[in-house]
Amino acid sequence: MKIVSFANYKGGVGKTTSVVNTARSLSQKEMKVLVIDLDPQGNSTLTLSRKNPFEHEKTVGDLLSDKDLSIKQCVVSTPAEVDLVPTNLNSYTLISTLPPNSAKRIYGLKNKLRDLEKDYDYILIDCPPQIEGSLITNAIAASDYYVLPIEGESVYALQGVDHLIQAIDLVRDDTGSGIRLLGALVTMMDARTKAGKTVMKAIDKYFGDMVFKTIIRRNTTINKANLSNRCVCDLDSKSSGCLDYQAFSKEMIDRIEDRG
Ligand SMILES: Nc1ncnc2c1ncn2[C@@H]1O[C@H](COP(=O)(O)OP(=O)(O)O)[C@@H](O)[C@H]1O
Ligand SMILES: [Mg+2]
């Protein structure tokens, strides 16, 4: 069982899209996958469950704030054949009731995940767009790896990446987590544009072989899928979005197998 967080302190870089569609690609390969939605906006909750995030009875907020609640009581199955621990905006309030500096603010998720043992091949965590805070700390403390999605066409794509990596390293050292960067995933790329080419060069220079070879191209079917709460492969299995996420999920597994 490997736990992989998708993290970037920026919003709109493709974290949720990558979590949801990577999870779906893995489930299409007959793997058991759990998605934990740690972003209280609940976007992956909505896409995967096709339900309003507020309709879910037990959420990440309950999980982290109620010591007697086990993760198995929070897991729901979804039409995407991926299990999910949902969330909604109430999670902020629930988590804010935890005493400051309490172990639960740091190790709550990690401790609850112990109940799962070997139920899943992969657990993917959709992180909130933050550089610090209880939710991101819980994700870092619990994860084996993180994937850093980067928006391929934004000239600001690399801005703050240093800071993010340092912040994750600090939390890793403080919490004794074994989290490692698995790689940078370039999303929403249009390599035909000048901006796309320039940004790609800068990303290659910065990350070297840590950049995943698979690049997620800009694809309107991905947007349509998100708008209709579907995974892109369930909407159009021939779309570039579906093919790219299938290729990425394979590359992700291979990288994890190589690293151990
Ligand atoms: N490859 C892509 N092509 C086109 N649109 C995309 C692609 N990836 C993501 N999007 C769109 O970009 C927006 C932000 O993506 P999202 O995954 O929600 O980012 P984040 O979780 O980092 O905030 C969404 O509207 C999504 O539909
Ligand atoms: Mg998101």
Side-chain angles (χ1 to χ4, degrees):
M1 189 167 89
K2 291 293 177 197
I3 306 173
V4 186
S5 276
F6 285 64
N8 191 325
Y9 74 97
K10 293 185 190 190
V13 297
K15 292 183 294 297
T16 297
T17 303
S18 298
V19 165
V20 162
N21 290 293
T22 304
R24 179 66 182 126
S25 297
L26 293 171
S27 85
Q28 285 184 321
K29 290 189 219 286
E30 309 297 321
M31 298 200 182
K32 287 278 287 165
V33 187
L34 173 69
V35 167
I36 301 177
D37 191 357
L38 277 195
D39 183 352
Q41 294 179 87
N43 295 347
S44 43
T45 297
L46 175 63
T47 306
L48 287 171
S49 71
R50 298 183 197 160
K51 261 188 172 175
N52 181 328
F54 288 104
E55 282 175 31
H56 289 283
E57 210 178 309
K58 297 287 177 215
T59 66
V60 158
D62 299 296
L63 179 70
L64 296 181
S65 60
D66 179 351
K67 70 173 175 26
D68 297 322
L69 190 66
S70 99
I71 192 160
K72 288 187 182 172
Q73 293 171 276
C74 301
V75 170
V76 294
S77 52
T78 71
E81 294 170 336
V82 167
D83 283 355
L84 168 74
V85 180
T87 195
N88 61 41
L89 287 167
N90 293 334
S91 291
Y92 277 127
T93 321
L94 288 164
I95 289 159
S96 69
T97 63
L98 295 174
N101 303 320
S102 65
K104 272 192 256 172
R105 276 189 179 263
I106 302 165
Y107 300 109
L109 182 63
K110 187 182 172 77
N111 290 338
K112 298 273 175 147
L113 283 172
R114 293 211 173 98
D115 286 348
L116 291 178
E117 292 150 24
K118 293 189 169 39
D119 295 349
Y120 295 99
D121 298 302
Y122 289 95
I123 297 179
L124 306 186
I125 302 180
D126 190 4
C127 290
Q130 294 169 342
I131 208 154
E132 57 180 16
S134 175
L135 288 164
I136 188 81
T137 304
N138 266 284
I140 297 168
S143 296
D144 300 304
Y145 295 102
Y146 68 105
V147 169
L148 210 165
I150 294 200
E151 193 189 346
E153 256 187 292
S154 162
V155 288
Y156 307 116
L158 286 169
Q159 210 176 48
V161 163
D162 265 343
H163 204 75
L164 175 72
I165 293 176
Q166 278 168 20
I168 293 178
D169 285 353
L170 272 179
V171 177
R172 179 194 60 203
D173 296 347
D174 281 353
T175 60
S177 161
I179 194 170
R180 286 182 279 169
L181 175 64
L182 191 63
L185 174 63
V186 180
T187 63
M188 295 182 239
M189 172 58 105
D190 188 345
R192 293 165 303 184
T193 63
K194 194 161 177 242
K197 286 193 188 101
T198 311
V199 175
M200 196 63 227
K201 252 192 211 154
I203 293 172
D204 278 337
K205 191 164 169 228
Y206 187 93
F207 284 103
D209 59 7
M210 288 307 282
V211 185
F212 285 102
K213 291 197 174 53
T214 310
I215 286 168
I216 312 296
R217 289 165 282 179
R218 187 169 278 284
N219 175 223
T220 49
T221 314
I222 288 186
N223 243 326
K224 277 188 208 147
N226 285 344
L227 282 169
S228 59
N229 304 331
R230 297 286 187 285
C231 297
V232 65
C233 291
D234 293 325
L235 197 67
D236 182 355
S237 60
K238 294 191 176 64
S239 62
S240 70
C242 176
L243 300 176
D244 289 349
Y245 276 108
Q246 282 173 339
F248 169 67
S249 67
K250 182 173 186 310
E251 192 180 357
M252 188 188 90
I253 298 173
D254 290 347
R255 241 185 219 207
I256 290 175
E257 274 172 10
D258 276 358
R259 305 262 166 96

